[in-house]
Amino acid sequence: MIGQKVCFFERLGSTNTFMKEHLKDYRDGDMVCAKRQTIGRGRRSNVWVSNPGDLHVSFIMDNKGDLYHFFEVILLVTNTLVKLLNKYNIDASIKYPNDIVVGKKKIGGILIERILGERDAFVVGVGLNVITTEFGQLSSIATSIKLEAGIDVDYRDVLFELINTFNTILTQKSCTLYEDYLAKSIVLNKEIIIEDTAYFVKDINLDGKLVLVHNGVETLKSMSDITLKELYE
């Protein structure tokens, strides 16, 4: 379970970085939440634009005995965010591997980092656009709860919903989460371009790899191999 302990901060550079630097102070399921994040990060060290009142939170998932593998954590968190947004009547989807989109606009992102050594754990960062309405040059590819639902929501209320939704989803079977993930994926049955070669996305396997077809030949690509930025265009 997550959320039994939540530490709130007015401002942090990155909730994930802070939690990793103070790992000994936090137990399984503990969370840190910042009203504003000044140097938020996404996959491939991309910058996550942050505004006060949006949701910036990280939590720890201990992984003693390899309880989870990386894609299982993605399944848990992406399904949580999709179901959370449904509570605000927002029909969200998943852009492989772990961006949350409404149509072709990004509303949330996830950064999962594995910690190994004296402690085996995942630090899971979630960024969700809650109240932002102006995204500047990113307006064509970004959106928020306020823009989509037309309501003002406090990020702490959204955090409360995230905690409850995640803890409910933890009780579901992995196969159910996998099926729900595929049902919400926007990449399945699409054509994508990798290094100037067109591939048809046939499936996402249980290890989280894309099953791609080119000229009748199947190949696998991992999430670290591709960006799929064209799906925002």
Side-chain angles (χ1 to χ4, degrees):
M1 294 180 64
I2 64 171
Q4 292 181 306
K5 173 183 174 180
V6 183
C7 296
F8 287 92
F9 296 85
E10 187 71 20
R11 178 173 177 164
L12 287 176
S14 159
T15 55
N16 261 38
T17 298
F18 179 88
M19 183 155 267
K20 288 190 298 179
E21 290 175 347
H22 299 84
L23 204 60
K24 62 180 176 56
D25 299 326
Y26 296 96
R27 297 181 179 180
D28 180 46
D30 287 351
M31 311 181 84
V32 295
C33 182
K35 185 175 182 180
R36 184 176 184 186
Q37 209 175 217
T38 57
I39 50 174
R41 297 173 294 122
R43 287 182 68 235
R44 299 172 178 266
S45 298
N46 291 326
V47 175
W48 175 263
V49 177
S50 166
N51 292 297
D54 289 336
L55 181 64
H56 323 103
V57 63
S58 295
F59 59 89
I60 293 178
M61 293 178 64
D62 279 335
N63 199 41
K64 186 176 181 180
D66 281 332
L67 181 63
Y68 303 103
H69 63 71
F70 198 85
F71 189 54
E72 285 179 317
V73 180
I74 289 177
L75 293 179
L76 285 166
V77 185
T78 53
N79 277 295
T80 292
L81 292 180
V82 167
K83 293 181 185 299
L84 161 65
L85 291 167
N86 284 345
K87 295 180 180 181
Y88 296 102
N89 295 316
I90 298 173
D91 186 15
S93 302
I94 302 166
K95 172 186 166 285
Y96 178 87
N98 55 7
D99 281 346
I100 307 301
V101 297
V102 181
K104 291 188 176 182
K105 293 187 175 184
K106 184 173 179 177
I107 194 170
I110 301 161
L111 177 63
I112 301 169
E113 299 181 274
R114 182 83 177 266
I115 308 298
L116 295 170
E118 292 184 6
R119 183 176 184 179
D120 184 355
F122 292 99
V123 174
V124 181
V126 174
L128 191 62
N129 298 329
V130 178
I131 64 168
T132 299
T133 57
E134 297 292 337
F135 292 95
Q137 294 181 340
L138 300 177
S139 293
S140 63
I141 60 171
T143 190
S144 66
I145 291 177
K146 185 170 183 177
L147 286 174
E148 296 298 325
I151 56 175
D152 288 308
V153 185
D154 191 289
Y155 73 96
R156 288 161 293 196
D157 293 330
V158 178
L159 175 60
F160 179 77
E161 293 289 353
L162 185 150
I163 292 168
N164 285 342
T165 305
F166 184 91
N167 288 337
T168 298
I169 279 180
L170 268 178
T171 66
Q172 296 183 0
K173 295 180 179 179
S174 295
C175 59
T176 300
L177 295 176
Y178 175 66
E179 290 167 359
D180 288 347
Y181 180 93
L182 294 183
K184 284 296 183 178
S185 172
I186 65 168
V187 70
L188 283 179
N189 303 315
K190 297 284 182 64
E191 183 179 272
I192 62 173
I193 307 297
I194 303 175
E195 297 178 352
D196 298 322
T197 300
Y199 293 90
F200 176 78
V201 183
K202 179 180 178 181
D203 199 4
I204 302 169
N205 70 17
L206 290 170
D207 292 324
K209 293 182 179 180
L210 291 181
V211 181
L212 306 176
V213 180
H214 174 70
N215 290 338
V217 178
E218 289 190 4
T219 187
L220 298 178
K221 287 285 185 181
S222 69
M223 59 189 74
S224 61
D225 295 332
I226 55 178
T227 64
L228 301 180
K229 288 184 177 180
E230 68 271 17
L231 295 182
Y232 285 129
E233 299 173 356

